[in-house]
Amino acid sequence: TLSPGSKSNIIYLTYIRNKYKYQIMSTQLNSIGLPKKPSETKVVVAMSGGVDSSTVAGMMKRDGYNVIGITLKLYDSGKEVATSKQCCSGQDIMDAKRVAHKLGIEHKILYYQNKFKQGVIDNFVDSYLKGETPIPCVQCNQTVKFKDLFEVAKDLKADALITGHYVKSVTFGNETNMYRAIDENRDQSYFLFNTTREQLNYLRFPLGGMLKDETRSIAKELDLNVADKPDSQDICFVPSGDYASVIRKFRPDSLKKGNIKNLDGKVIGVHDGIINFTIGQRKGIKVSNNEPLYVIKINSEKNEIIVGPKENLGKKNININNLNLLVDKEQLSKNILVKVRSTGKLLDASVNFKDDNTAEVNLKDFEDGISPGQACVFYDLDKQGHKVLGGGWIIN
């Protein structure tokens, strides 16, 4: 196995007159695990205009790589402001251009609004209308960022696609594996579970072994204009976290009143639209009761919200579909760790696979608030850390 920066002997076999001649040549891997000098290595850096991706571009340039920065224009909010905390805003694009100019690297802007609308926003709206709790950032990574940008980087003859995600990539030979970031508060591996093996072997994540403070420190050393820029907090097309307003904008006829029922099927209230609710929610139910009520289930077909006490939120068995595995199924036959929400902890579990690309996940202990539309991501602990094995989408 080879790791970045290590010197290793690579054996080449040459067939000469029915005999193999062994040629020994000493080589050294560069910092992204490729057997080339940085100056001979072309990389595409996905530059969002934030401090993380800007710092990655600066690190690659500082270390002598041939860097091309690419920024994606994904969404037109009509309210672009300099203090926007949304990702991919107009201000972010300007910041990315300034960073690229400062670093002296080539910079391209790709206009993917239509692709983003079809691949991410429409999916988000449809998912909410089905009573699910979608994760648009996973869809964004799965489609425009890693699918379309992956193809663009390949067309540019780049050796690797670099991003500012906080996940750790470990490369051995021709295979790259993904791990949770050192900074667990910043870890983004949950959002990247749907990355394909082909994409993962081409991607690199330099920030996975760093803390956020270290990233900002490097940005200041490189004198980047975004060194003190606040992190993006809102989804680009969901200003201030108001999901319902997005649904109303794209599907104005979707807000329909319906019944709120208890676990016995008794109508105890009326809601203004299922898009206002998610599994595990307590606020906004507006039904008086002797004990606090939580959303236990959302029945989109009947336009009903089912509520009950907190003890009814717990689940141990989860069904998932559309599996994406980064390892062979045999490596998942033993007990593993799973994450069922981006901010959740790792849970002990086992997985039973079915023939239709679905699986049943059995948790060791009960977990509250598991919602359809979220991802269930698989991990295993080895000497490099928590390795991402893949995952699937929770259906119930």
Side-chain angles (χ1 to χ4, degrees):
T1 58
L2 305 177
S3 57
S6 65
K7 289 184 177 180
S8 303
N9 289 329
I10 297 180
I11 301 176
Y12 296 87
L13 298 179
T14 305
Y15 189 75
I16 302 177
R17 293 182 182 178
N18 298 320
K19 293 183 179 180
Y20 284 105
K21 176 183 178 182
Y22 292 85
Q23 296 179 327
I24 309 297
M25 185 177 74
S26 179
T27 188
Q28 183 173 355
L29 301 180
N30 59 32
S31 63
I32 59 172
L34 298 176
K36 303 173 69 173
K37 295 179 180 179
S39 59
E40 299 171 352
T41 306
K42 180 189 288 188
V43 297
V44 164
V45 177
M47 298 179 65
S48 68
V51 62
D52 297 326
S53 60
S54 298
T55 301
V56 166
M59 291 167 60
M60 293 293 101
K61 176 66 176 180
R62 178 196 64 188
D63 294 344
Y65 290 90
N66 179 5
V67 182
I68 300 174
I70 294 184
T71 301
L72 305 180
K73 175 64 174 175
L74 301 178
Y75 182 69
D76 294 310
S77 70
K79 298 179 181 179
E80 307 289 19
V81 293
T83 58
S84 174
K85 292 186 179 181
Q86 298 170 241
C87 64
C88 309
S89 69
Q91 180 62 42
D92 290 330
I93 292 176
M94 292 304 298
D95 286 338
K97 287 181 66 70
R98 292 189 185 99
V99 169
H101 180 74
K102 171 73 176 180
L103 297 174
I105 63 173
E106 184 179 354
H107 182 248
K108 300 176 182 291
I109 301 173
L110 303 181
Y111 296 90
Y112 281 178
Q113 291 98 317
N114 289 337
K115 291 183 177 182
F116 185 75
K117 169 67 166 54
Q118 296 170 10
V120 180
I121 297 179
D122 289 347
N123 179 278
F124 174 88
V125 173
D126 290 341
S127 185
Y128 250 103
L129 292 177
K130 290 189 292 186
E132 300 174 344
T133 305
I135 320 172
C137 292
V138 175
Q139 298 291 347
C140 185
N141 289 326
Q142 182 182 354
T143 55
V144 292
K145 286 187 178 177
F146 286 168
K147 181 178 181 294
D148 295 313
L149 186 54
F150 174 90
E151 293 171 357
V152 170
K154 286 284 191 179
D155 289 341
L156 291 171
K157 309 299 182 184
D159 296 289
L161 173 59
I162 316 289
T163 83
H165 288 98
Y166 281 87
V167 294
K168 189 169 68 171
S169 55
V170 178
T171 302
F172 292 115
N174 295 321
E175 184 169 286
T176 296
N177 289 304
M178 187 195 319
Y179 289 79
R180 291 185 78 189
I182 296 296
D183 189 341
E184 293 185 1
N185 292 324
R186 298 282 175 179
D187 174 59
Q188 294 171 294
S189 60
Y190 180 86
F191 299 103
L192 302 180
F193 86 92
N194 239 352
T195 306
T196 67
R197 167 51 61 191
E198 181 186 13
Q199 292 167 349
L200 190 54
N201 286 340
Y202 190 60
L203 286 159
R204 297 294 187 273
F205 310 102
L207 300 186
M210 295 169 53
L211 301 177
K212 183 71 176 194
D213 288 346
E214 295 178 77
T215 301
R216 290 197 182 277
S217 178
I218 293 174
K220 291 177 181 178
E221 290 174 8
L222 296 172
D223 194 27
L224 301 183
N225 58 289
V226 295
D228 295 315
K229 184 176 180 178
D231 293 333
S232 59
Q233 297 175 354
D234 297 331
I235 299 170
C236 61
F237 61 94
V238 186
S240 304
D242 187 357
Y243 299 102
S245 68
V246 175
I247 312 299
R248 285 194 295 267
K249 176 181 177 181
F250 291 101
R251 304 283 176 81
D253 60 343
S254 62
L255 285 175
K256 298 178 181 178
K257 291 182 179 294
N259 291 326
I260 298 176
K261 293 183 176 181
N262 63 19
L263 294 173
D264 295 324
K266 180 182 177 181
V267 177
I268 59 175
V270 176
H271 66 77
D272 292 324
I274 62 172
I275 64 171
N276 295 304
F277 300 89
T278 59
I279 302 297
Q281 180 176 327
R282 178 183 174 186
K283 294 182 179 180
I285 296 175
K286 299 178 181 179
V287 173
S288 60
N289 197 60
N290 294 331
E291 58 182 333
L293 295 175
Y294 297 79
V295 177
I296 305 298
K297 183 179 179 180
I298 300 174
N299 189 328
S300 60
E301 292 182 0
K302 296 183 178 181
N303 194 33
E304 294 177 345
I305 302 295
I306 313 301
V307 299
K310 187 174 182 179
E311 57 262 29
N312 293 100
L313 277 175
K315 295 185 67 173
K316 290 184 72 173
N317 300 316
I318 310 168
N319 291 298
I320 61 177
N321 64 5
N322 296 325
L323 294 174
N324 178 66
L325 298 182
L326 297 172
V327 296
D328 294 332
K329 285 184 179 179
E330 289 71 23
Q331 293 180 249
L332 283 158
S333 59
K334 56 186 177 62
N335 292 335
I336 59 170
L337 297 166
V338 302
K339 219 179 182 189
V340 294
R341 64 179 63 85
S342 62
T343 56
K345 60 183 178 181
L346 293 175
L347 308 170
D348 291 316
S350 60
V351 184
N352 296 320
F353 292 101
K354 302 177 182 179
D355 294 332
D356 55 353
N357 202 33
T358 66
E360 181 182 44
V361 178
N362 301 301
L363 304 178
K364 179 180 178 182
D365 301 307
F366 283 96
E367 180 69 12
D368 290 347
I370 296 174
S371 176
Q374 296 282 292
C376 179
V377 182
F378 308 149
Y379 296 84
D380 191 20
L381 181 62
D382 65 21
K383 63 182 179 180
Q384 299 289 347
H386 286 100
K387 181 179 178 180
V388 181
L389 307 176
W393 296 101
I394 298 173
I395 51 178
N396 57 52

